[in-house]
Amino acid sequence: MTHATTIPHIATPGPHPTLHVEQLSRIYPSGDGQVQALAPLTHTFPPGLTAVVGPSGSGKSTLLNLLAGFDTPTTGSVRVGDTDLTALTETQRADFRLKHYGFVFQNHNLVSILTALENVEFPLTLAGVPVRERADRARALLARVGLEKRAGHLPSQLSGGEAQRVAIARALAGNPGLLLCDEPTGNLDSKTGEMVLAELQDAARQGRTVVLITHDRDIAALADHHLQVRDGVVGVVD
Ligand SMILES: Nc1ncnc2c1ncn2[C@@H]1O[C@H](COP(=O)(O)OP(=O)(O)OP(=O)(O)O)[C@@H](O)[C@H]1O
């Protein structure tokens, strides 16, 4: 499901800021001891789709939470362009996320009482985008993921794959340079999962950095870059 046409009302993605981590690590207290959930990692995430794979408990979500600034690292930093995420206050980080990050999770996390269109508009409302403009942008994004006819549907009236595509449209609403995805195809059958992946690939082709945690080898194989996590140690596969 790729759409090559220019989308009206959506700013053309320019050069997006680079995501770079330097000596990034996380140790959690565990009983009397500690667990090194992430060993020091220095890495620049290239534009395009990076799949993060690894066994359960290996540290994938820890990495994603640190990249998002949801968690505080034990050592190191997360840089988005010239901004050191770890040096920002909580409020500054929230503002920064609104501008630069989109998120897609395993459960679509759509607001159940809002329509598909309203869900996509939501981050734009938070960002203070005027009513008319945000409706136009949200419609264009829904059209882009092939759901213009579902704009008035509530999440409960959408299939799992449709809901996840709405979630991607919502994640892209603010035209972020970074898209962080945690098992977005985990609840979907393989065909629907591939449709969702196609949307993420499309977002990546526009110069975004898309980081995708997945347990699905077939999905991972379609990514541009690959990270393998084992016992908190991240290795670059390609
Ligand atoms: N808040 C926490 N407090 C203590 N230990 C934690 C915490 N969060 C994660 N861990 C531990 O850190 C390690 C990495 O966990 P993480 O959730 O990052 O793994 P994962 O690869 O995402 O696993 P899964 O594929 O099952 O989601 C595990 O040993 C986990 O038990």
Side-chain angles (χ1 to χ4, degrees):
M1 182 147 311
T2 52
H3 309 273
T5 48
T6 311
I7 303 155
H9 313 296
I10 307 266
T12 311
H16 289 297
T18 306
L19 174 62
H20 176 77
V21 300
E22 191 76 34
Q23 290 295 308
L24 184 70
S25 79
R26 183 64 163 107
I27 293 172
Y28 289 115
S30 168
D32 292 341
Q34 295 181 326
V35 50
Q36 178 138 51
L38 184 69
L41 170 68
T42 296
H43 181 66
T44 300
F45 289 79
L49 182 64
T50 295
V52 181
V53 299
S56 180
S58 57
K60 305 181 296 296
S61 299
T62 299
L63 173 62
L64 210 76
N65 285 333
L66 291 169
L67 294 180
F70 291 143
D71 190 17
T72 307
T74 303
T75 66
S77 61
V78 177
R79 285 192 165 274
V80 179
D82 293 334
T83 302
D84 180 353
L85 205 60
T86 42
L88 301 181
T89 64
E90 196 69 34
T91 313
Q92 288 171 329
R93 250 200 309 276
D95 282 350
F96 190 81
R97 267 198 295 266
L98 210 51
K99 287 199 189 82
H100 296 283
Y101 286 74
F103 297 95
V104 188
F105 299 108
Q106 180 163 5
N107 299 313
H108 50 70
N109 291 338
L110 297 177
V111 180
S112 62
I113 57 166
L114 299 182
T115 64
L117 186 75
E118 290 164 345
N119 266 285
V120 179
E121 278 187 61
F122 194 58
L124 299 173
T125 309
L126 289 180
V129 175
V131 175
R132 181 62 192 273
E133 191 187 334
R134 67 182 187 237
D136 286 349
R137 285 171 71 172
R139 272 185 205 289
L141 277 158
L142 277 182
R144 182 195 153 128
V145 296
L147 291 176
E148 61 270 51
K149 299 216 169 76
R150 299 282 190 278
H153 287 222
L154 293 170
S156 59
Q157 299 168 321
L158 299 170
S159 72
E162 286 172 343
Q164 202 55 299
R165 276 147 60 204
V166 173
I168 292 173
R170 179 182 58 180
L172 293 175
N175 193 26
L178 306 174
L179 208 51
L180 303 186
C181 314
D182 196 348
E183 290 280 0
T185 61
N187 282 339
L188 306 175
D189 63 71
S190 60
K191 193 157 177 243
T192 315
E194 277 169 24
M195 283 170 75
V196 165
L197 181 75
E199 300 298 348
L200 298 178
Q201 287 176 306
D202 204 19
R205 266 193 291 272
Q206 294 177 345
R208 293 189 177 86
T209 299
V210 182
V211 182
L212 166 73
I213 292 181
T214 183
H215 281 110
D216 185 325
R217 283 170 185 273
D218 294 337
I219 295 280
L222 296 169
D224 306 307
H225 316 284
H226 301 87
L227 295 179
Q228 167 86 46
V229 192
R230 269 188 209 287
D231 297 328
V233 178
V234 180
V236 180
V237 178
D238 52 355

